[in-house]
Amino acid sequence: MMMVEDLVIHPLVERDTQSLQQLLPEIPIWVKCPDYDRVDWLNKFLELMWPYLDKAICRTAKNIAAPIIVEQIPKYKIDSVEFETLTLGSLPPTFQGMKVYVTDEKELMMEPYLKWASNPNVSVAVKAFGLKATVQVIDLQIFAAPRITLKPLVPSFPCFAKIFVSLMEKPHVDFGLKLLGADLMAIPGLYRFVQETIKDQVASMYLWPKALEVQILDPSKAMKRPVGILHVKILRAMKLRKKDLLGASDPYVKLKLTESKLPSKKTTVKHSNLNPEWNEEFSMVVKDPESQALEISVYDWEQIGKHDKMGTNVVPLRDLTPDESKTMTLDLLKNIDLNDAQNDKQRGQIVVELTYKPFKEEDLPKDFEESGTVLKAPEGTPPGGGVLVVIVHQAEDVEGKNHTNPYVRIIFKGEERKTKQVKKNRDPRWEEEFSFVLEESPVNDKLHVEVISTSTRIGLLHPKEVLGYIDISLSDVVHNTRINEKYHLIDSKTGRIQVELQWRTAK
Protein backbone atom coordinates (compact mmCIF):
# COMPACT_ATOMS: atom_id res chain seq x y z
CA MET A 1 0.00 0.00 0.00
CA MET A 2 1.44 3.36 -1.09
CA MET A 3 1.76 5.99 1.63
CA VAL A 4 0.75 9.56 0.76
CA GLU A 5 2.20 12.39 2.77
CA ASP A 6 -0.15 14.91 4.29
CA LEU A 7 -0.51 18.09 2.23
CA VAL A 8 1.15 21.16 3.63
CA ILE A 9 -1.15 24.18 3.31
CA HIS A 10 0.45 27.62 3.16
CA PRO A 11 -1.49 30.87 3.53
CA LEU A 12 -1.50 33.03 0.37
CA VAL A 13 0.06 35.90 2.29
CA GLU A 14 3.26 33.89 2.59
CA ARG A 15 3.66 33.84 -1.19
CA ASP A 16 5.72 36.50 -2.93
CA THR A 17 4.40 38.50 -5.89
CA GLN A 18 6.05 36.31 -8.53
CA SER A 19 4.65 33.11 -7.05
CA LEU A 20 1.16 34.55 -6.87
CA GLN A 21 1.26 35.62 -10.51
CA GLN A 22 2.34 32.11 -11.51
CA LEU A 23 -0.55 30.64 -9.54
CA LEU A 24 -3.04 33.21 -10.88
CA PRO A 25 -1.74 34.51 -14.19
CA GLU A 26 -4.95 36.38 -14.98
CA ILE A 27 -5.40 38.39 -11.80
CA PRO A 28 -7.86 41.21 -12.64
CA ILE A 29 -6.33 44.67 -12.80
CA TRP A 30 -8.67 45.90 -10.02
CA VAL A 31 -7.12 43.32 -7.66
CA LYS A 32 -3.51 44.18 -8.51
CA CYS A 33 -4.15 47.94 -8.57
CA PRO A 34 -6.77 49.05 -6.01
CA ASP A 35 -7.20 52.46 -7.66
CA TYR A 36 -8.97 50.68 -10.55
CA ASP A 37 -12.73 50.08 -10.13
CA ARG A 38 -14.64 47.06 -11.40
CA VAL A 39 -16.78 47.62 -14.50
CA ASP A 40 -18.71 44.37 -14.81
CA TRP A 41 -21.79 46.32 -15.86
CA LEU A 42 -19.90 47.80 -18.83
CA ASN A 43 -18.75 44.38 -20.02
CA LYS A 44 -22.33 43.09 -19.76
CA PHE A 45 -23.50 46.09 -21.78
CA LEU A 46 -20.85 45.40 -24.46
CA GLU A 47 -21.83 41.73 -24.58
CA LEU A 48 -25.48 42.60 -25.28
CA MET A 49 -24.73 45.43 -27.71
CA TRP A 50 -21.79 43.84 -29.54
CA PRO A 51 -23.71 42.47 -32.60
CA TYR A 52 -24.97 45.98 -33.28
CA LEU A 53 -21.73 47.75 -32.37
CA ASP A 54 -19.83 45.37 -34.67
CA LYS A 55 -21.93 46.40 -37.68
CA ALA A 56 -21.78 50.10 -36.80
CA ILE A 57 -17.99 50.09 -36.28
CA CYS A 58 -17.35 48.15 -39.50
CA ARG A 59 -19.57 50.50 -41.50
CA THR A 60 -17.71 53.49 -40.07
CA ALA A 61 -14.34 51.85 -40.79
CA LYS A 62 -15.33 51.30 -44.43
CA ASN A 63 -16.43 54.93 -44.79
CA ILE A 64 -13.14 56.16 -43.34
CA ALA A 65 -10.98 53.77 -45.36
CA ALA A 66 -12.65 54.27 -48.74
CA PRO A 67 -11.36 57.81 -49.55
CA ILE A 68 -7.89 56.93 -48.20
CA ILE A 69 -7.71 53.86 -50.47
CA VAL A 70 -8.88 55.86 -53.49
CA GLU A 71 -6.16 58.44 -52.84
CA GLN A 72 -3.34 55.93 -52.26
CA ILE A 73 -3.79 53.16 -54.85
CA PRO A 74 -2.68 55.21 -57.93
CA LYS A 75 0.76 55.63 -56.34
CA TYR A 76 1.32 51.86 -56.39
CA LYS A 77 -0.38 51.08 -59.74
CA ILE A 78 -3.04 49.00 -57.99
CA ASP A 79 -6.42 48.67 -59.67
CA SER A 80 -8.55 48.29 -56.52
CA VAL A 81 -8.58 47.38 -52.85
CA GLU A 82 -11.88 46.13 -51.46
CA PHE A 83 -13.19 44.52 -48.28
CA GLU A 84 -14.59 41.12 -49.22
CA THR A 85 -15.68 40.43 -45.65
CA LEU A 86 -15.50 42.70 -42.62
CA THR A 87 -16.70 41.64 -39.20
CA LEU A 88 -14.97 41.97 -35.84
CA GLY A 89 -16.22 38.57 -34.71
CA SER A 90 -18.48 37.44 -31.91
CA LEU A 91 -16.14 38.23 -28.99
CA PRO A 92 -16.43 41.81 -27.68
CA PRO A 93 -13.58 43.64 -25.94
CA THR A 94 -13.57 43.48 -22.15
CA PHE A 95 -12.62 46.14 -19.64
CA GLN A 96 -10.54 44.73 -16.80
CA GLY A 97 -11.02 47.85 -14.67
CA MET A 98 -11.27 51.61 -14.89
CA LYS A 99 -9.99 54.73 -13.17
CA VAL A 100 -12.22 57.81 -13.31
CA TYR A 101 -11.15 61.36 -12.55
CA VAL A 102 -13.91 63.98 -12.19
CA THR A 103 -13.19 67.69 -12.37
CA ASP A 104 -15.47 70.67 -11.85
CA GLU A 105 -17.10 71.74 -15.16
CA LYS A 106 -13.81 71.11 -16.93
CA GLU A 107 -13.35 67.51 -17.96
CA LEU A 108 -14.17 63.91 -17.20
CA MET A 109 -11.12 61.68 -17.46
CA MET A 110 -11.29 57.88 -17.70
CA GLU A 111 -8.47 55.35 -17.87
CA PRO A 112 -9.87 51.88 -18.74
CA TYR A 113 -7.68 48.80 -19.10
CA LEU A 114 -8.81 47.07 -22.30
CA LYS A 115 -8.28 43.48 -23.40
CA TRP A 116 -9.61 42.13 -26.68
CA ALA A 117 -8.97 38.62 -27.96
CA SER A 118 -11.13 38.58 -31.06
CA ASN A 119 -12.11 36.16 -33.82
CA PRO A 120 -12.50 38.61 -36.72
CA ASN A 121 -13.23 37.81 -40.32
CA VAL A 122 -11.50 40.55 -42.29
CA SER A 123 -10.62 39.78 -45.91
CA VAL A 124 -9.13 42.42 -48.20
CA ALA A 125 -8.99 41.76 -51.96
CA VAL A 126 -6.25 43.50 -53.93
CA LYS A 127 -6.41 43.61 -57.76
CA ALA A 128 -3.37 44.59 -59.83
CA PHE A 129 -1.96 43.66 -63.26
CA GLY A 130 -4.94 41.42 -63.93
CA LEU A 131 -4.33 39.37 -60.80
CA LYS A 132 -6.27 39.15 -57.54
CA ALA A 133 -4.92 38.38 -54.09
CA THR A 134 -6.94 38.08 -50.87
CA VAL A 135 -5.32 38.82 -47.52
CA GLN A 136 -7.13 37.67 -44.38
CA VAL A 137 -6.65 39.02 -40.83
CA ILE A 138 -7.06 36.39 -38.09
CA ASP A 139 -6.56 35.95 -34.33
CA LEU A 140 -6.59 39.62 -33.34
CA GLN A 141 -5.40 40.52 -29.83
CA ILE A 142 -5.24 44.03 -28.40
CA PHE A 143 -4.22 45.00 -24.86
CA ALA A 144 -4.27 48.75 -24.24
CA ALA A 145 -4.46 51.36 -21.47
CA PRO A 146 -6.02 54.47 -23.07
CA ARG A 147 -6.86 57.75 -21.36
CA ILE A 148 -10.23 59.01 -22.58
CA THR A 149 -11.01 62.63 -21.71
CA LEU A 150 -14.35 64.34 -22.30
CA LYS A 151 -13.87 68.11 -22.20
CA PRO A 152 -15.03 70.72 -21.73
CA LEU A 153 -18.19 69.61 -19.94
CA VAL A 154 -21.10 71.78 -21.12
CA PRO A 155 -24.80 72.14 -20.24
CA SER A 156 -25.94 70.92 -23.68
CA PHE A 157 -26.49 67.29 -24.66
CA PRO A 158 -24.34 65.13 -24.82
CA CYS A 159 -22.73 67.39 -22.16
CA PHE A 160 -19.17 67.40 -23.53
CA ALA A 161 -17.67 69.23 -26.51
CA LYS A 162 -14.65 67.06 -27.44
CA ILE A 163 -13.24 63.58 -26.90
CA PHE A 164 -9.48 63.17 -26.47
CA VAL A 165 -7.91 59.68 -26.58
CA SER A 166 -4.30 59.06 -25.53
CA LEU A 167 -2.39 55.86 -24.88
CA MET A 168 -0.59 55.73 -21.54
CA GLU A 169 1.80 53.05 -22.83
CA LYS A 170 2.55 51.25 -26.10
CA PRO A 171 -0.36 48.90 -26.86
CA HIS A 172 0.06 45.17 -27.36
CA VAL A 173 -1.27 44.32 -30.83
CA ASP A 174 -1.11 40.76 -32.19
CA PHE A 175 -2.72 39.22 -35.26
CA GLY A 176 -2.12 36.77 -38.08
CA LEU A 177 -2.13 37.31 -41.85
CA LYS A 178 -3.06 34.70 -44.41
CA LEU A 179 -2.51 34.92 -48.16
CA LEU A 180 -3.98 32.19 -50.36
CA GLY A 181 -4.26 29.97 -47.30
CA ALA A 182 -0.60 30.40 -46.31
CA ASP A 183 0.47 32.00 -43.04
CA LEU A 184 2.39 35.17 -43.97
CA MET A 185 3.59 35.60 -40.40
CA ALA A 186 5.61 32.40 -40.77
CA ILE A 187 8.05 34.27 -43.02
CA PRO A 188 11.25 34.73 -40.94
CA GLY A 189 11.48 38.19 -39.40
CA LEU A 190 8.15 39.44 -40.79
CA TYR A 191 6.15 38.85 -37.58
CA ARG A 192 8.44 40.92 -35.37
CA PHE A 193 8.79 43.64 -38.02
CA VAL A 194 5.00 44.01 -38.42
CA GLN A 195 4.40 43.99 -34.66
CA GLU A 196 7.02 46.62 -33.85
CA THR A 197 6.08 48.82 -36.81
CA ILE A 198 2.43 48.95 -35.75
CA LYS A 199 3.30 49.65 -32.10
CA ASP A 200 5.70 52.45 -33.07
CA GLN A 201 3.27 54.01 -35.55
CA VAL A 202 0.38 54.01 -33.09
CA ALA A 203 2.58 55.25 -30.26
CA SER A 204 4.02 58.09 -32.36
CA MET A 205 0.50 59.36 -33.04
CA TYR A 206 -1.34 58.77 -29.79
CA LEU A 207 1.10 58.08 -26.93
CA TRP A 208 0.40 60.55 -24.10
CA PRO A 209 0.60 63.58 -24.15
CA LYS A 210 -0.32 63.29 -27.85
CA ALA A 211 -4.00 62.58 -28.41
CA LEU A 212 -6.64 61.79 -30.97
CA GLU A 213 -9.14 64.65 -30.84
CA VAL A 214 -12.76 64.21 -31.89
CA GLN A 215 -14.99 67.31 -32.00
CA ILE A 216 -18.53 66.69 -30.77
CA LEU A 217 -19.95 70.18 -30.15
CA ASP A 218 -18.90 73.76 -30.73
CA PRO A 219 -17.88 74.70 -27.15
CA SER A 220 -18.34 78.43 -27.76
CA LYS A 221 -22.03 77.79 -28.40
CA ALA A 222 -22.53 75.01 -25.87
CA MET A 223 -21.27 76.70 -22.72
CA LYS A 224 -22.34 80.03 -21.33
CA ARG A 225 -19.47 82.32 -20.39
CA PRO A 226 -19.48 84.87 -17.56
CA VAL A 227 -20.96 88.09 -18.93
CA GLY A 228 -20.95 90.41 -15.92
CA ILE A 229 -20.81 90.98 -12.17
CA LEU A 230 -23.73 91.65 -9.83
CA HIS A 231 -22.86 93.94 -6.92
CA VAL A 232 -25.14 93.42 -3.92
CA LYS A 233 -25.28 95.64 -0.85
CA ILE A 234 -27.40 94.35 2.01
CA LEU A 235 -28.48 97.51 3.84
CA ARG A 236 -30.95 96.54 6.57
CA ALA A 237 -34.11 94.65 7.51
CA MET A 238 -37.21 95.88 9.33
CA LYS A 239 -39.90 94.34 11.51
CA LEU A 240 -38.64 90.78 11.34
CA ARG A 241 -40.91 88.18 12.99
CA LYS A 242 -39.48 86.71 16.17
CA LYS A 243 -38.68 83.02 15.74
CA ASP A 244 -37.50 82.27 19.27
CA LEU A 245 -40.01 81.92 22.11
CA LEU A 246 -37.52 83.50 24.50
CA GLY A 247 -35.65 86.64 23.43
CA ALA A 248 -35.20 88.18 19.96
CA SER A 249 -33.89 86.42 16.85
CA ASP A 250 -30.30 86.47 15.54
CA PRO A 251 -30.73 87.22 11.82
CA TYR A 252 -28.25 86.89 8.95
CA VAL A 253 -28.72 86.96 5.14
CA LYS A 254 -27.82 84.34 2.53
CA LEU A 255 -27.41 85.30 -1.14
CA LYS A 256 -27.34 82.93 -4.10
CA LEU A 257 -27.67 83.26 -7.86
CA THR A 258 -29.91 80.67 -9.50
CA GLU A 259 -28.18 78.35 -12.04
CA SER A 260 -24.89 78.83 -10.16
CA LYS A 261 -22.93 76.07 -8.45
CA LEU A 262 -20.98 78.49 -6.26
CA PRO A 263 -21.78 78.45 -2.53
CA SER A 264 -24.08 81.08 -1.02
CA LYS A 265 -22.71 84.39 0.27
CA LYS A 266 -23.51 85.20 3.90
CA THR A 267 -23.64 88.36 5.97
CA THR A 268 -22.58 88.55 9.59
CA VAL A 269 -25.07 87.60 12.33
CA LYS A 270 -26.82 90.43 14.18
CA HIS A 271 -27.66 89.03 17.59
CA SER A 272 -30.98 89.83 19.34
CA ASN A 273 -32.13 92.28 16.69
CA LEU A 274 -35.40 92.37 14.72
CA ASN A 275 -34.39 95.56 12.85
CA PRO A 276 -30.75 94.78 11.93
CA GLU A 277 -28.43 96.95 9.85
CA TRP A 278 -25.63 95.30 7.84
CA ASN A 279 -24.35 97.64 5.09
CA GLU A 280 -22.32 94.71 3.73
CA GLU A 281 -21.31 94.37 0.05
CA PHE A 282 -20.87 91.27 -2.14
CA SER A 283 -19.94 90.60 -5.77
CA MET A 284 -21.30 87.67 -7.80
CA VAL A 285 -20.43 86.41 -11.31
CA VAL A 286 -23.35 86.43 -13.77
CA LYS A 287 -23.60 84.06 -16.77
CA ASP A 288 -27.13 84.75 -18.06
CA PRO A 289 -28.88 87.93 -16.90
CA GLU A 290 -32.04 86.97 -18.80
CA SER A 291 -32.66 83.74 -16.88
CA GLN A 292 -30.76 84.10 -13.59
CA ALA A 293 -32.22 85.59 -10.41
CA LEU A 294 -30.84 86.63 -7.04
CA GLU A 295 -32.26 84.64 -4.13
CA ILE A 296 -32.26 86.61 -0.85
CA SER A 297 -33.08 84.69 2.32
CA VAL A 298 -32.99 85.78 5.98
CA TYR A 299 -32.17 83.12 8.58
CA ASP A 300 -32.28 83.00 12.35
CA TRP A 301 -28.89 81.81 13.57
CA GLU A 302 -28.90 79.00 16.13
CA GLN A 303 -25.87 77.80 18.05
CA ILE A 304 -27.18 74.24 18.01
CA GLY A 305 -29.42 72.70 15.38
CA LYS A 306 -30.90 73.91 12.12
CA HIS A 307 -31.14 77.62 11.32
CA ASP A 308 -34.76 78.68 10.74
CA LYS A 309 -35.64 80.60 7.58
CA MET A 310 -37.34 83.88 8.53
CA GLY A 311 -38.29 84.85 4.99
CA THR A 312 -37.16 85.01 1.38
CA ASN A 313 -37.57 86.83 -1.92
CA VAL A 314 -36.19 86.74 -5.45
CA VAL A 315 -35.04 89.49 -7.83
CA PRO A 316 -34.82 88.50 -11.54
CA LEU A 317 -31.70 90.09 -13.05
CA ARG A 318 -33.66 91.06 -16.16
CA ASP A 319 -35.48 93.61 -13.94
CA LEU A 320 -32.19 95.53 -13.43
CA THR A 321 -30.92 98.22 -15.78
CA PRO A 322 -27.23 97.57 -16.56
CA ASP A 323 -24.75 99.94 -14.88
CA GLU A 324 -27.49 101.57 -12.78
CA SER A 325 -27.80 101.12 -9.00
CA LYS A 326 -31.27 100.19 -7.78
CA THR A 327 -32.36 100.29 -4.14
CA MET A 328 -35.23 97.90 -3.43
CA THR A 329 -37.40 97.24 -0.38
CA LEU A 330 -38.59 93.64 -0.55
CA ASP A 331 -41.30 91.91 1.48
CA LEU A 332 -40.04 88.70 3.05
CA LEU A 333 -42.20 85.73 1.98
CA LYS A 334 -42.67 82.21 3.31
CA ASN A 335 -41.64 80.82 -0.08
CA ILE A 336 -41.34 81.84 -3.72
CA ASP A 337 -44.82 80.56 -4.67
CA LEU A 338 -46.84 83.78 -4.82
CA ASN A 339 -50.11 81.82 -4.63
CA ASP A 340 -49.23 80.33 -1.24
CA ALA A 341 -51.68 81.67 1.36
CA GLN A 342 -48.92 81.71 3.99
CA ASN A 343 -47.27 84.56 2.10
CA ASP A 344 -50.04 86.86 3.34
CA LYS A 345 -48.50 86.89 6.83
CA GLN A 346 -46.15 89.77 7.55
CA ARG A 347 -42.57 88.57 7.97
CA GLY A 348 -40.82 91.90 7.68
CA GLN A 349 -38.86 93.61 4.91
CA ILE A 350 -35.29 93.80 3.66
CA VAL A 351 -33.60 96.71 1.85
CA VAL A 352 -30.93 95.94 -0.75
CA GLU A 353 -28.95 97.92 -3.33
CA LEU A 354 -28.26 96.07 -6.58
CA THR A 355 -26.00 97.00 -9.52
CA TYR A 356 -25.46 94.77 -12.54
CA LYS A 357 -22.26 95.59 -14.46
CA PRO A 358 -21.98 93.75 -17.81
CA PHE A 359 -18.50 93.01 -19.13
CA LYS A 360 -17.19 94.78 -22.17
CA GLU A 361 -16.48 92.58 -25.18
CA GLU A 362 -12.71 92.75 -24.68
CA ASP A 363 -13.11 91.44 -21.10
CA LEU A 364 -14.82 88.21 -22.17
CA PRO A 365 -12.73 85.01 -22.34
CA LYS A 366 -12.33 84.00 -25.99
CA ASP A 367 -12.27 80.19 -25.55
CA PHE A 368 -12.02 77.45 -22.96
CA GLU A 369 -8.37 76.56 -23.35
CA GLU A 370 -5.78 77.82 -20.90
CA SER A 371 -3.52 80.24 -22.75
CA GLY A 372 -0.97 80.52 -19.95
CA THR A 373 -1.63 84.26 -19.70
CA VAL A 374 -3.59 86.01 -16.99
CA LEU A 375 -6.83 87.67 -18.05
CA LYS A 376 -7.67 91.16 -16.85
CA ALA A 377 -10.32 91.41 -14.19
CA PRO A 378 -13.64 92.49 -15.75
CA GLU A 379 -14.98 95.99 -15.48
CA GLY A 380 -16.96 96.35 -12.29
CA THR A 381 -14.28 94.72 -10.14
CA PRO A 382 -13.94 96.75 -6.92
CA PRO A 383 -11.39 99.63 -7.28
CA GLY A 384 -8.04 98.57 -5.81
CA GLY A 385 -9.24 94.97 -5.74
CA GLY A 386 -9.34 92.13 -8.22
CA VAL A 387 -10.12 88.49 -8.74
CA LEU A 388 -8.02 85.76 -7.09
CA VAL A 389 -8.21 82.60 -9.21
CA VAL A 390 -7.19 79.29 -7.60
CA ILE A 391 -6.71 76.28 -9.89
CA VAL A 392 -6.21 72.96 -8.09
CA HIS A 393 -4.42 70.72 -10.60
CA GLN A 394 -3.37 67.47 -8.93
CA ALA A 395 -1.64 65.80 -5.98
CA GLU A 396 1.01 63.11 -5.76
CA ASP A 397 1.87 60.40 -3.21
CA VAL A 398 -0.93 61.18 -0.75
CA GLU A 399 -2.04 58.33 1.47
CA GLY A 400 -4.34 57.92 4.46
CA LYS A 401 -3.95 55.46 7.29
CA ASN A 402 -7.42 53.96 6.81
CA HIS A 403 -8.55 55.13 3.35
CA THR A 404 -7.39 57.31 0.46
CA ASN A 405 -10.38 59.02 -1.20
CA PRO A 406 -8.95 62.53 -1.53
CA TYR A 407 -10.55 65.90 -2.17
CA VAL A 408 -9.19 69.43 -1.62
CA ARG A 409 -10.64 71.98 0.79
CA ILE A 410 -9.73 75.65 0.30
CA ILE A 411 -10.30 78.27 2.99
CA PHE A 412 -9.79 81.95 2.23
CA LYS A 413 -11.13 84.87 4.28
CA GLY A 414 -13.74 82.63 5.90
CA GLU A 415 -15.00 81.25 2.57
CA GLU A 416 -14.71 77.51 1.95
CA ARG A 417 -14.53 75.75 -1.41
CA LYS A 418 -14.17 72.04 -2.15
CA THR A 419 -13.17 69.94 -5.15
CA LYS A 420 -14.84 66.71 -6.14
CA GLN A 421 -13.67 63.53 -4.40
CA VAL A 422 -11.47 61.00 -6.23
CA LYS A 423 -11.88 57.49 -4.83
CA LYS A 424 -9.02 55.10 -4.09
CA ASN A 425 -6.27 57.19 -5.64
CA ARG A 426 -2.86 58.26 -4.29
CA ASP A 427 -2.24 60.52 -7.32
CA PRO A 428 -5.58 62.32 -7.78
CA ARG A 429 -6.17 64.86 -10.55
CA TRP A 430 -8.87 67.53 -10.17
CA GLU A 431 -8.27 70.47 -12.56
CA GLU A 432 -10.87 72.58 -10.77
CA GLU A 433 -10.96 76.37 -10.70
CA PHE A 434 -12.30 78.71 -8.01
CA SER A 435 -12.57 82.51 -7.99
CA PHE A 436 -12.70 85.05 -5.17
CA VAL A 437 -13.75 88.65 -5.94
CA LEU A 438 -11.80 90.88 -3.52
CA GLU A 439 -12.19 94.49 -2.45
CA GLU A 440 -8.42 94.90 -2.02
CA SER A 441 -5.13 93.20 -2.85
CA PRO A 442 -4.45 90.02 -0.79
CA VAL A 443 -0.74 90.86 -0.52
CA ASN A 444 -0.70 90.15 3.23
CA ASP A 445 -3.09 87.18 3.18
CA LYS A 446 -2.61 83.43 3.08
CA LEU A 447 -4.58 80.70 1.33
CA HIS A 448 -5.18 77.49 3.32
CA VAL A 449 -5.25 74.34 1.19
CA GLU A 450 -5.72 70.86 2.65
CA VAL A 451 -6.15 67.40 1.16
CA ILE A 452 -8.81 65.37 2.97
CA SER A 453 -9.96 61.77 2.65
CA THR A 454 -13.38 60.60 3.76
CA SER A 455 -14.84 57.12 3.93
CA THR A 456 -18.33 56.21 2.81
CA ARG A 457 -18.40 53.18 5.08
CA ILE A 458 -20.86 53.56 7.95
CA GLY A 459 -19.51 53.10 11.45
CA LEU A 460 -15.83 53.49 10.56
CA LEU A 461 -13.77 54.73 13.51
CA HIS A 462 -11.88 57.18 11.27
CA PRO A 463 -14.42 58.54 8.75
CA LYS A 464 -12.26 61.58 7.92
CA GLU A 465 -8.51 62.10 7.64
CA VAL A 466 -6.38 65.13 6.71
CA LEU A 467 -3.71 63.83 4.31
CA GLY A 468 -1.71 67.06 4.44
CA TYR A 469 -2.06 70.81 4.17
CA ILE A 470 -0.24 73.96 3.05
CA ASP A 471 -0.66 77.67 3.77
CA ILE A 472 0.31 79.67 0.66
CA SER A 473 1.39 83.29 1.05
CA LEU A 474 -0.30 85.37 -1.65
CA SER A 475 2.33 88.13 -1.85
CA ASP A 476 4.13 86.32 -4.71
CA VAL A 477 1.05 85.99 -6.90
CA VAL A 478 0.15 89.68 -6.33
CA HIS A 479 3.62 90.77 -7.51
CA ASN A 480 3.97 88.20 -10.34
CA THR A 481 0.24 87.94 -11.34
CA ARG A 482 0.61 84.17 -11.84
CA ILE A 483 2.38 81.25 -10.13
CA ASN A 484 2.04 77.53 -10.79
CA GLU A 485 3.97 75.37 -8.31
CA LYS A 486 4.07 72.04 -6.55
CA TYR A 487 4.09 72.28 -2.76
CA HIS A 488 5.16 69.66 -0.23
CA LEU A 489 2.20 68.96 2.04
CA ILE A 490 2.72 69.52 5.75
CA ASP A 491 2.01 66.42 7.90
CA SER A 492 2.52 64.15 4.88
CA LYS A 493 5.61 62.01 4.35
CA THR A 494 5.82 62.31 0.56
CA GLY A 495 2.64 64.11 -0.56
CA ARG A 496 2.75 67.08 -2.92
CA ILE A 497 0.04 69.25 -4.46
CA GLN A 498 0.12 71.40 -7.61
CA VAL A 499 -1.78 74.67 -7.28
CA GLU A 500 -1.93 77.53 -9.79
CA LEU A 501 -2.77 81.06 -8.58
CA GLN A 502 -3.68 84.10 -10.67
CA TRP A 503 -4.27 87.65 -9.54
CA ARG A 504 -6.42 89.54 -12.06
CA THR A 505 -6.82 93.28 -11.82
CA ALA A 506 -8.62 95.72 -14.08
CA LYS A 507 -5.39 97.61 -14.88
Side-chain angles (χ1 to χ4, degrees), residues 402-403 405 424 454-464:
N402 301 283
H403 43 75
N405 306 309
K424 300 179 182 177
T454 57
S455 174
T456 56
R457 295 174 59 185
I458 300 173
L460 197 68
L461 291 176
H462 305 281
K464 187 174 183 179

Side-chain angles (χ1 to χ4, degrees), residues 98-113:
M98 185 180 295
K99 296 180 188 178
V100 178
Y101 305 93
V102 182
T103 61
D104 186 23
E105 294 188 0
K106 287 281 185 175
E107 63 187 14
L108 172 61
M109 188 182 300
M110 299 170 285
E111 291 183 6
Y113 189 79

Side-chain angles (χ1 to χ4, degrees), residues 367-413:
D367 58 33
F368 297 97
E369 302 300 324
E370 292 295 335
S371 63
T373 60
V374 176
L375 299 173
K376 296 292 184 184
E379 184 178 331
T381 301
V387 179
L388 175 66
V389 178
V390 182
I391 304 171
V392 181
H393 288 294
Q394 60 187 353
E396 299 172 355
D397 294 327
V398 293
E399 187 168 13
K401 294 179 180 178
N402 301 283
H403 43 75
T404 305
N405 306 309
Y407 68 91
V408 174
R409 178 172 175 252
I410 298 171
I411 300 176
F412 179 65
K413 288 184 174 292

Side-chain angles (χ1 to χ4, degrees), residues 327-338:
T327 301
M328 310 176 74
T329 301
L330 305 170
D331 291 326
L332 291 173
L333 309 174
K334 173 70 175 179
N335 56 54
I336 307 303
D337 184 3
L338 298 179

Side-chain angles (χ1 to χ4, degrees), residues 137-141 173-177 185 191 194-195 198:
V137 179
I138 58 172
D139 300 331
L140 176 66
Q141 283 191 356
V173 181
D174 193 4
F175 58 89
L177 288 176
M185 290 302 191
Y191 177 81
V194 171
Q195 294 289 92
I198 290 176

Side-chain angles (χ1 to χ4, degrees), residues 31-176:
V31 174
K32 293 183 285 187
C33 304
D35 55 340
Y36 276 87
D37 289 324
R38 296 178 63 173
V39 281
D40 297 339
W41 65 270
L42 183 56
N43 290 324
K44 189 66 178 177
F45 171 81
L46 279 175
E47 181 184 340
L48 296 172
M49 289 293 294
W50 186 243
Y52 308 96
L53 289 170
D54 177 22
K55 293 178 181 178
I57 292 170
C58 290
R59 188 181 301 115
T60 302
K62 279 186 177 180
N63 293 337
I64 293 173
I68 297 174
I69 292 172
V70 170
E71 182 182 348
Q72 294 295 323
I73 57 176
K75 299 179 183 179
Y76 304 100
K77 298 182 180 180
I78 295 173
D79 296 330
S80 67
V81 176
E82 296 177 353
F83 288 101
E84 284 195 340
T85 57
L86 178 57
T87 173
L88 300 178
S90 59
L91 303 175
T94 60
F95 291 94
Q96 302 294 302
M98 185 180 295
K99 296 180 188 178
V100 178
Y101 305 93
V102 182
T103 61
D104 186 23
E105 294 188 0
K106 287 281 185 175
E107 63 187 14
L108 172 61
M109 188 182 300
M110 299 170 285
E111 291 183 6
Y113 189 79
L114 171 74
K115 285 189 176 183
W116 189 16
S118 178
N119 54 348
N121 185 2
V122 181
S123 299
V124 180
V126 182
K127 293 181 181 179
F129 308 109
L131 301 174
K132 176 184 174 182
T134 301
V135 180
Q136 185 181 15
V137 179
I138 58 172
D139 300 331
L140 176 66
Q141 283 191 356
I142 299 175
F143 300 166
R147 171 176 287 181
I148 302 169
T149 306
L150 312 179
K151 71 175 184 181
L153 302 183
V154 296
S156 301
F157 191 81
C159 300
F160 55 89
K162 294 180 182 178
I163 302 175
F164 296 83
V165 181
S166 295
L167 293 170
M168 305 312 292
E169 57 188 38
K170 283 187 179 182
H172 168 77
V173 181
D174 193 4
F175 58 89

